[in-house]
């Protein structure tokens, strides 16, 4: 039940509807966040001008017990302000979970709803009650429409039981210009699970432009002013969670995309087997992925290492990306069990050892060229689309050289001590070497390391796949 708190903001008016209409993205977010946690937790609901609930913003900072949910008002006010002023959406309600068998809004829920409607000068509010997988072994939504009742403060709102429908978009004409180069049908049924959203923002948006139909975005951070110069963030998004802002950007490109935004650490989000199974390959809003790709796209080593581990234990392909010190160079690598022979640790073993000895990250992108992130994101996009579309025999052509290293500054060797570019350039006639001053891309081999603690160096990564771990 909702605990009693007050919320004041500028008045908006939700559109009246007989039954609730909700987008796949919003429904999938409810399932992937509230639905996979024990009661009670909640999310804020927003609808577009047609009354379709297109955004469900998970309230990760709320206070909660097994029987109460208290919204994080700072989050609610910030997301309401942004959604209404920048996205043109209207606040239309709260979704929250109840313990097993309790599918009706409680007295405190109705009291809170009535006070909230009075403050916001609206006459009705969606108040769906969710039943969760940990509590009931399945996810379900019980739709209720709260209607304002005049009276003293604390008067209980009237609630009416309604139905709910997931509304999909059938328009794919916007993909006509790329249909000849992309497998649009296959990409629509593909899912990208990305750990780290900030630096990868443009890559994720480009994957949406290519027609990728399902995204799970996990990031614990929010956008700050310093991100404006290095990530594809807009000033209006400062202070917002990176996952939520990126999810809305994707939805704006492809309204039919199933996009889940989860603020949190990937290690925590995928800690439970049921959650892993659901997010990596399970049904969300009636859709399952035909193919899933993991994106290890954060500057947090532990998170990237965890994604590598997930890929090996599930047999899923993963794409890794790095910018080196000062963005003198960058790298994008992929690991595809059954195709590639070595794991991510075989490629960057010293990095793993550094952190296991208690080392910290001293590498920053300070001094990077403004386009450095975009250059690496372009490679992420290319490799991701290849892994999501190509047949295994096509991927075998890249299996022996799964790592692309890009020269982003001419002083790369002096800056980071990486000599591969110099050794390559020495093979080129001297008069042609000035042509290689910038943006040289080398595809490098990665061989299995016999002493690799992660994969054992056998070259058979599929042998590591197991359902329970």
């Amino acid at each position: 039940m909702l605990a009693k708190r007050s919320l004041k903001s500028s008045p908006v008016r939700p559109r009246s509807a007989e039954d609730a209409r909700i987008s796949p993205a919003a429904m999938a977010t409810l399932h992937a966040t509230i639905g996979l946690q024990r009661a009670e937790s909640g999310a804020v609901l927003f609808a577009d001008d047609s009354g379709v609930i297109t955004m469900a913003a998970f309230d990760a900072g709320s206070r909660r017990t097994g029987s109460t949910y208290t919204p994080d008002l700072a989050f609610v006010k910030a997301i309401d302000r942004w959604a209404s002023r920048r996205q043109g959406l209207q606040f239309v309600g709260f979704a929250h979970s109840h313990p097993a068998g309790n599918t009706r809004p409680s007295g405190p829920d109705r009291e809170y709803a009535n006070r909230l409607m009075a403050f916001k000068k609206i006459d009705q509010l969606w108040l769906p009650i969710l039943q969760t997988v940990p509590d009931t072994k399945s996810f379900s939504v019980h739709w209720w429409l709260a209607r304002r009742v005049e009276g003293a403060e604390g008067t209980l709102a009237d609630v009416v039981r309604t139905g709910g429908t997931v509304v999909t978009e059938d328009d794919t004409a916007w993909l006509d210009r790329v249909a000849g180069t992309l497998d649009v049908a296959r990409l629509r049924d593909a899912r990208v699970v990305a750990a780290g959203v900030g630096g990868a923002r443009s890559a994720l948006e480009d994957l949406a432009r290519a027609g990728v139909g399902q995204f799970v975005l996990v990031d614990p951070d929010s956008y700050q002013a310093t991100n404006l110069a290095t990530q594809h963030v807009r000033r209006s998004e400062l202070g917002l969670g990176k996952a939520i802002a990126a999810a809305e950007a994707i939805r704006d490109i492809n309204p039919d995309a199933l996009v889940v935004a989860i603020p949190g650490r990937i290690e925590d989000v995928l800690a439970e087997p049921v959650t892993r199974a659901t997010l990596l390959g399970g049904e969300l809003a009636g859709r399952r992925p035909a193919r899933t790709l993991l994106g290890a796209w954060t500057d947090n080593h532990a998170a990237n290492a965890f994604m590598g581990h997930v890929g090996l234990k599930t047999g899923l392909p993963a794409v890794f990306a790095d910018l080196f010190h000062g963005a003198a160079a960058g790298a994008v690598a992929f690991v595809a069990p059954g195709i590639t022979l070595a794991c991510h640790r075989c490629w960057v073993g010293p990095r793993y050892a550094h952190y296991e000895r208690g080392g910290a990250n001293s590498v920053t992108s300070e001094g990077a060229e403004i386009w450095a992130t975009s250059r690496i994101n372009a490679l992420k996009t290319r490799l991701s689309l290849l892994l999501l579309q190509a047949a295994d025999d096509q991927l075998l052509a890249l299996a022996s050289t799964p790592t692309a290293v890009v020269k982003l500054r001419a002083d790369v060797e002096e800056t980071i001590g990486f000599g591969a570019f110099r050794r390559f350039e020495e093979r080129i006639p001297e008069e042609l070497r000035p042509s290689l001053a910038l943006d040289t891309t080398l595809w490098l081999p990665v061989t299995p390391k016999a002493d690799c603690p992660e994969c054992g160096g056998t070259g058979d990564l599929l042998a590591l796949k197991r359902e329970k771990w």
Side-chain angles (χ1 to χ4, degrees):
M1 71 178 69
L2 286 165
K4 291 191 249 182
R5 300 276 303 273
S6 64
L7 176 67
K8 296 182 180 179
S9 65
S10 57
V12 291
R13 295 186 178 278
R15 182 184 177 94
S16 176
E18 185 71 21
D19 285 339
R21 292 176 295 151
I22 186 169
S23 71
M27 180 61 80
T29 296
L30 293 178
H31 185 173
T33 53
I34 301 172
L36 295 177
Q37 300 186 14
R38 289 196 177 279
E40 293 191 13
S41 61
V44 196
L45 305 179
F46 296 90
D48 62 17
D49 288 340
S50 69
V52 176
I53 298 169
T54 60
M55 179 180 172
F58 180 58
D59 186 4
S62 62
R63 293 204 308 269
R64 44 184 295 204
T65 70
S67 58
T68 62
Y69 156 64
T70 304
D72 177 356
L73 288 187
F75 166 76
V76 174
K77 289 179 180 179
I79 200 73
D80 185 17
R81 187 181 307 112
W82 174 73
S84 61
R85 296 181 183 178
R86 300 296 181 181
Q87 300 297 100
L89 301 177
Q90 299 176 339
F91 166 76
V92 292
F94 277 98
H96 71 288
S97 55
H98 275 183
N102 187 354
T103 61
R104 183 183 179 89
S106 66
D109 292 341
R110 294 164 61 194
E111 179 183 342
Y112 182 88
N114 208 61
R115 294 172 64 216
L116 182 56
M117 286 185 283
F119 278 123
K120 294 182 70 66
K121 298 180 175 61
I122 56 178
D123 296 323
Q124 61 185 39
L125 201 68
W126 289 111
L127 205 63
I129 303 300
L130 279 55
Q131 298 283 274
T132 73
V133 175
D135 291 332
T136 68
K137 307 302 181 185
S138 63
F139 169 72
S140 60
V141 182
H142 300 266
W143 287 96
W144 296 88
L145 185 64
R147 291 174 173 166
R148 183 178 172 187
V149 175
E150 295 292 345
E153 182 177 353
T155 301
L156 300 185
D158 183 27
V159 293
V160 179
R161 186 72 177 263
T162 70
T165 303
V166 176
V167 179
T168 60
E169 296 274 349
D170 294 326
D171 178 22
T172 59
W174 61 278
L175 287 166
D176 285 351
R177 288 195 174 188
V178 297
T181 58
L182 297 171
D183 189 334
V184 173
R186 174 170 282 201
L187 290 176
R188 183 186 184 278
D189 292 330
R191 182 175 296 177
V192 173
V193 180
V197 171
R201 172 77 172 262
S202 68
L204 290 164
E205 291 186 15
D206 281 347
L207 289 172
R209 295 179 200 283
V212 172
Q214 302 180 35
F215 296 85
V216 176
L217 311 180
V218 183
D219 198 307
D221 296 331
S222 58
Y223 281 117
Q224 305 301 320
T226 53
N227 297 135
L228 285 168
T230 57
Q231 299 178 9
H232 287 72
V233 57
R234 290 159 178 78
R235 189 168 291 276
S236 63
E237 297 169 335
L238 297 183
L240 287 178
K242 293 182 178 181
I244 290 175
E248 284 305 291
I250 290 173
R251 188 187 65 81
D252 196 39
I253 294 167
N254 180 4
D256 192 41
L258 188 156
V259 196
V260 172
I262 305 178
R265 298 168 64 249
I266 189 67
E267 305 96 309
D268 298 331
V269 171
L270 296 183
E272 295 295 327
V274 172
T275 302
R276 283 200 301 271
T278 302
L279 297 185
L280 298 181
E283 181 178 300
L284 290 169
R287 288 158 65 176
R288 290 181 181 271
R291 188 174 287 194
T292 298
L293 174 74
L294 306 178
W297 296 337
T298 169
D299 58 3
N300 183 288
H301 169 74
N304 289 337
F306 178 78
M307 289 296 275
H309 186 74
V310 170
L312 294 180
K313 297 308 178 186
T314 59
L316 295 174
V319 174
F320 302 82
D322 297 288
L323 275 177
F324 301 151
H325 183 67
V332 178
F334 75 96
V335 175
I339 302 295
T340 54
L341 304 179
C343 71
H344 184 244
R345 183 163 185 156
C346 290
W347 157 240
V348 289
R351 181 184 305 169
Y352 280 74
H354 169 75
Y355 282 97
E356 288 169 356
R357 291 192 300 266
N361 180 17
S362 60
V363 176
T364 71
S365 59
E366 184 175 350
E369 295 279 3
I370 196 69
W371 48 265
T373 300
S374 296
R375 180 67 181 87
I376 296 303
N377 277 338
L379 269 176
K380 284 181 199 172
T381 304
R382 182 68 187 93
L383 270 182
S384 296
L385 290 174
L386 184 65
L387 289 165
L388 289 171
Q389 297 179 98
D392 287 352
D393 57 346
Q394 295 174 292
L395 293 175
L396 285 171
L398 282 177
S400 60
T401 54
T403 297
V405 183
V406 186
K407 181 178 180 178
L408 300 175
R409 277 174 35 186
D411 61 349
V412 59
E413 186 169 0
E414 294 82 354
T415 302
I416 62 174
F418 188 74
F421 294 110
R422 176 182 52 78
R423 292 191 295 271
F424 170 75
E425 290 165 3
E426 286 175 347
R427 303 178 186 178
I428 304 298
E430 189 171 354
E431 65 272 14
L432 296 179
R433 292 177 192 174
S435 302
L436 303 174
L438 199 62
D439 212 39
T440 303
T441 302
L442 301 179
W443 290 87
L444 303 179
V446 180
T447 57
K449 301 297 189 293
D451 59 348
C452 178
E454 185 68 30
C455 72
T458 66
D460 184 7
L461 299 185
L462 275 179
L464 303 172
K465 180 180 177 181
R466 59 186 183 189
E467 294 182 0
K468 296 181 179 180
W469 49 282

